[in-house]
Amino acid sequence: MRSRTPQIFWLLILLPAIVSGQAPMFSLRHLSVMKYHNLRFTKLARSWDEGIPLGNGMIGALIWQRDTVLRMSLDRADLWDLRGIKEFDRPEFRFAWVVERAMRGEYQRAQEMGDVPYNRDAAPTKLPGAALELPIPGINDVDKVELDLEDAVCTVAWKNGVKLESFVHATYPFGWFRIEGLRSRIKPKLIPPPYALPDTASDHGNSGPGGNDLRRLGYAPPVIEESEAAGSEKRIRYHQECWNGFSYNVELVYRYNARNTLIGFWSIVPSSPYHLENQKTKNPIALKIFSFDEVLRKHRQWWQQFWQQSSIALPDSILEKQWYLEMYKFGSASRRGAPPITLQAVWTADNSRLPPWKGDFHHDLNTQLSYWPCYSANHLEGGLAYLDWLWWCKPVAENYTRTYFGTDGLDFPGVSTLTGAPMGGWIQYSLSPTVSAWLAQHFYLHWRYSMDKTFLKERAYPWIREVAIHLDQLSVRDSLGRRKLPLSSSPEINDNRVDAWFKQTTNYDLSLVRWLFGAAEELATELGMKEDVNRWSTILKEWPELAVGENGKLLVAPGYELKESHRHFSHLMSIHPLGLLDWDRGDEDRRIISASLADLERLGHDWWCGYSYAWLGSMWARARDGEKAAEALRTFATCFCLPNSFHVNGDQTNSGKSKFTYRPFTLEGNFACAQGIQEMLVQSHNGVLRVFPAVPAGWREASFNGLRAEGALLVSAVRTDGQTRSVSVVAEKGGKVKMLDPFGGKKVTSTPNGVVDIQFKNGFVEFKAKAGASVTFDLQ
C-alpha cells in the first residue's frame, strides 16, 4: 500500500467545481495515475499466455519471444470451426429422455450422447489466427518492455537502440508496428498454425484445460504468397481453408522508409465475417494514405474517451492496479460490433493446440462474470457486445428450446458456439434449463443502469418474457402442488455423475427461477402490462422458498448441503449476483448470508479457482465486510494471475490458496475481480445508492469518479481521513434518488443543478432530479 494524498487532494479540489451535465468530472490524464499501472518488464515473456495483450474486441495480439525471434500471436474473434455434433441430431436426445435415464440410474448413455462428443471431437472450436515473427537483432538484450494502458501501445526497447512500437487499432481491424534503430533490414514472417495432419499424428486427446492438438482438425496445408507492391510495399498473404467452405486470410503489409525504419500492419479477414461487425473497413489501410503517427493519433483518441468514463483511486496499490488492468482488458476484449468475450477472447492459445475448453462461450459462469463490471464501471457500450450477440443468436436458441426441451419460449445452451449452437459437455450445465434466466439478468441490468425505455420494451422484457414462458411450461408439480423442475442441477456440484442431477429444485435453479419471475413482474409493471404482471406474480408464488439448513446456511438443494470445498458457488446465487437476499432487508437475510459465507470458510479453499476468490470479493462486499472482500481480491490478484495479469485458474504461488495449480488461461476471473472492487465502492442493487459501502477501515483515503449506479446515475465520491467528504451525482434520466447518508448525519453543503426537494431524513438523502441534473454534497 502507499499514500495517495496528493491525488486525493487534487480530486477533492476538482470534484465540486467540474460537475456539470452528464460527463464524468475529470480525466485521469490530469493526475497521470495510469502511468503507475503500466505493465513493465525487463525481458520479453517466453510463453504466449504471458505476452503483452493488445486488442479491439474483434482482433487481438500477444507480444512475446519464441526462441530467438519476437513473436506476435494474431487472433480474430470470429474464426470458428462450426461443424455440428452428430448426437444432437438424434431424435431421442431430448431433455425428457435425459430425465428418464437419470431417474432409472441408466445415465451412461446420456453421458455418451452429451459429454463424450465434447472430448472426442476437435470441433466445434475457436481457431487461432497466425503468428507474425520478427528476427530482432540482439533480442535477448532487452532494456524495457512496457504496455502503456492509457494509449494501449506496447513498446519494446533493446540496449542496441532498436525500438518496437505496436498497437491494435481501436476502431479499425488492423494491428500496426514500427521498428526504429535497425542497422540492417530484417524480414518479417507469417507463421500459420500447424493445422495440417500428417499420417503419423495422433487423432485423440481431450478438450479440457490443456486443449488438444490442432492437427486433429484435419485441415489442408495453408497457402502462403509473397509479393511486392508499388512504393516498395511488401505483402505476405496466408490463406487457410477450414471446414465446410469457411476460410480466412492473414495479410501482412510492410515497408522501410528512408531512415531504415520498418513500418507494417496486419489484418485477418474471414470468408464469413461476424454478422454484426460494424468496424469501419474490411480492406487494408494503404500505408501511403495513412502514416503510422496519424493512425496512432486516432487510436489514442478512442482510448482517451474510454478512460474518461470512470476512474478509481485506492490506498491499496495491488487492487488499484488490478482494476486498471482489468478495465484495459475489457476495453480490448469487448467492443460493440464484435463477438462477446469467450474464455480467452481475442487471445487464443498459440501453442499448436486448441484453446482450453475450445475457447468457447461458457454460460454457467464464464460469460456472465466477464460482463459483471461493465455496468457500474460505466462501460455500457462494451456490454452491448454481449447483449447484441445474445439477441442475434435468439432464433437459434428458440429452436434449441423447442427441440431439446419441448417448450415454447427461450432457453440458451450453456456451452455454445459463435452462432449460439450447443457444443455439449457436462449436460447438467451445458444444456441446463435455466441458462437463459442468468443471461436475462444482463438484459435487466442494462435496463436498470441505463433506464433506456426503448431497450426495455424491445429487448429486456421480450427476452425475460420468453424465458418465463419456457420455465412456466417446463415446470411440474410436486406432491404439495408446488412448482419444480423435472430435474435440477447446481454447477458444478458432483461434476458429471448421475447424482449431479437432483429430483428437487436446487437453490441455484430456484434462485434463477425466482429472480426471473420477479424481474418479469417488475418490467411488465414498468410497461403497464397488467395481464402479464398478474401472470408472473401468480407463478412466482407457486415456487418454494430457498432451501435453508437448520443453522441458517443456504443448502445446495433441500436436504443436501455443500459437503466439501468447491470452486463454483452456485448455491449462493441468491446472495450475489441475484441479490434475492439483501443485507439491508433485515435480520433474517443477514443471518442466512453470514451463515452461508461462514460455511464457505469452514469448508476451505482447497478446490477453489481464481474466479472463486474474485466472486467471493463481491459476496463479502454485499455482506458489508470490506476487510474480507479486499483480502479475497488481493489473493486473486497475487496468486491466480500471470505477470501480464491473465487469470489462469490455479494457484501460481504454491502458497496453499488452492490445490489447483494448473494454468489454463480464462478471463472471467479477471472481470469478476474488477466488479468486486466496484462493489466495495458503490452499490445500488436494492434501489438505494450506497457510497463506500464495503471499504476496509484501513482505507482512510479513497475516491472514484464516474461510476454508474442503477437508475442511470453517475456517481463520484472522495473519502479522506476515514470519512466521506464529497459525493456528486448526475441523474442522466432524472427521477427520484434515494441515497444512504454517506456523511453519518453530519452537516453538509449541497450544490444542486436541476435538483430539487433535497431531504435528509431517517439516515437517507432523498431528492428529485430533472434529466441531466446534478448535485454535489460536501462535508462542512
Side-chain angles (χ1 to χ4, degrees), residues 461 465 523-534:
Y461 184 64
R465 185 178 188 276
L523 299 195
T525 300
E526 183 71 27
L527 292 170
M529 305 174 71
K530 294 183 180 180
E531 185 176 340
D532 279 12
V533 171
N534 294 333

Side-chain angles (χ1 to χ4, degrees), residues 286-304:
L287 285 171
K288 61 185 179 182
I289 300 175
F290 292 96
S291 70
F292 183 90
D293 290 325
E294 176 64 15
V295 173
L296 179 58
R297 183 183 66 82
K298 294 181 179 180
H299 163 79
R300 283 172 169 161
Q301 287 175 351
W302 188 93
W303 279 98
Q304 179 181 353

Side-chain angles (χ1 to χ4, degrees), residues 58-59 74-82 125-130 193 195 219 238 242 246-250 268-274 339 348 358-359 418:
M58 183 59 81
I59 64 169
L74 313 182
D75 193 17
R76 182 172 163 122
D78 54 358
L79 300 184
W80 272 79
D81 184 316
L82 292 171
T125 183
K126 173 72 177 69
L127 301 172
Y195 285 129
Y219 297 163
Y238 148 54
C242 302
F246 177 76
S247 65
Y248 67 92
N249 296 327
V250 183
I268 303 178
V269 181
S271 60
S272 301
Y274 178 54
T348 301
K358 300 183 180 180
L418 176 67

Side-chain angles (χ1 to χ4, degrees), residues 284-459:
I285 304 171
L287 285 171
K288 61 185 179 182
I289 300 175
F290 292 96
S291 70
F292 183 90
D293 290 325
E294 176 64 15
V295 173
L296 179 58
R297 183 183 66 82
K298 294 181 179 180
H299 163 79
R300 283 172 169 161
Q301 287 175 351
W302 188 93
W303 279 98
Q304 179 181 353
Q305 294 173 357
F306 176 85
W307 288 117
Q308 288 175 345
Q309 293 298 108
S310 60
S311 61
I312 68 171
L314 308 178
D316 188 318
S317 59
I318 292 174
L319 294 189
E320 182 181 284
K321 180 168 186 171
Q322 195 70 28
W323 186 84
Y324 283 105
L325 289 169
E326 309 307 13
M327 286 298 100
Y328 167 79
K329 291 197 291 294
F330 186 82
S332 300
S334 190
R335 201 71 60 79
R336 196 172 192 186
I341 298 167
T342 56
L343 294 179
Q344 293 87 28
V346 290
W347 301 301
T348 301
D350 181 13
N351 59 358
S352 302
R353 302 178 71 81
L354 297 174
W357 296 286
K358 300 183 180 180
D360 56 31
F361 296 95
H362 261 60
H363 307 296
D364 71 345
L365 177 147
N366 303 82
T367 55
Q368 291 95 327
L369 270 62
S370 290
Y371 282 92
W372 275 356
C374 73
Y375 306 104
S376 56
N378 195 24
H379 290 297
L380 298 185
E381 187 73 10
L384 283 170
Y386 189 33
L387 302 180
D388 288 345
W389 175 77
L390 289 171
W391 195 261
W392 175 58
C393 293
K394 187 168 174 281
V396 174
E398 288 169 334
N399 181 66
Y400 152 77
T401 305
R402 287 189 298 269
T403 302
Y404 181 70
F405 290 104
T407 66
D408 298 317
L410 176 67
D411 194 39
F412 206 93
V415 180
S416 66
T417 69
L418 176 67
T419 59
M423 290 180 62
W426 296 351
I427 59 177
Q428 297 92 332
Y429 328 115
S430 67
L431 302 177
S432 162
T434 58
V435 172
S436 276
W438 195 350
L439 299 178
Q441 192 193 24
H442 284 277
F443 284 91
Y444 175 85
L445 290 174
H446 185 87
W447 149 245
R448 288 295 304 150
Y449 279 83
S450 70
M451 301 306 289
D452 181 340
K453 289 202 172 183
T454 300
F455 181 86
L456 166 66
K457 183 178 180 180
E458 296 182 356
R459 289 204 173 179

Side-chain angles (χ1 to χ4, degrees), residues 525-724:
T525 300
E526 183 71 27
L527 292 170
M529 305 174 71
K530 294 183 180 180
E531 185 176 340
D532 279 12
V533 171
N534 294 333
R535 179 182 180 183
W536 309 137
S537 175
T538 299
I539 293 175
L540 176 59
K541 293 173 184 176
E542 295 171 347
W543 288 86
E545 297 295 330
L546 298 171
V548 178
E550 292 183 359
N551 65 349
K553 69 183 179 184
L554 289 166
L555 302 176
V556 174
Y560 190 100
E561 65 180 41
L562 188 65
K563 298 176 181 178
E564 60 186 0
S565 174
H566 196 280
R567 60 195 173 274
H568 199 307
F569 306 148
S570 53
H571 65 305
L572 303 185
M573 289 283 291
S574 57
I575 299 174
H576 184 275
L578 300 178
L580 295 177
L581 296 172
D582 191 332
W583 189 260
D584 296 313
R585 186 172 294 130
D587 292 341
E588 179 64 12
D589 279 18
R590 291 190 182 192
R591 183 175 70 87
I592 296 173
I593 293 171
S594 296
S596 300
L597 293 178
D599 193 54
L600 281 186
E601 291 185 311
R602 178 186 66 83
L603 293 170
H605 49 241
D606 280 357
W607 299 112
W608 290 6
C609 289
Y611 67 71
S612 310
Y613 284 94
W615 188 355
L616 186 61
S618 284
M619 289 194 181
W620 280 122
R622 289 286 177 96
R624 306 289 188 263
D625 193 328
E627 307 289 346
K628 289 186 176 179
E631 179 184 9
L633 297 171
R634 279 196 298 270
T635 298
F636 168 83
T638 55
C639 299
F640 293 85
C641 293
L642 296 177
N644 65 352
S645 81
F646 280 176
H647 162 238
V648 284
N649 283 265
D651 178 8
Q652 303 303 297
T653 63
N654 292 312
S655 59
K657 299 300 182 182
S658 174
K659 289 184 178 180
F660 286 116
T661 57
Y662 60 171
R663 55 179 286 167
F665 156 49
T666 60
L667 281 161
E668 76 292 321
N670 289 118
F671 301 126
C673 177
Q675 176 61 17
I677 295 168
Q678 291 162 202
E679 290 273 1
M680 297 171 71
L681 299 176
V682 62
Q683 294 180 21
S684 57
H685 55 277
N686 55 6
V688 176
L689 174 61
R690 283 172 168 78
V691 175
F692 299 122
V695 297
W699 285 18
R700 306 292 293 173
E701 299 175 349
S703 67
F704 61 85
N705 178 71
L707 293 185
R708 182 174 286 268
E710 291 190 18
L713 306 177
L714 292 176
V715 187
S716 303
V718 175
R719 173 182 173 90
T720 60
D721 298 325
Q723 169 72 56
T724 301

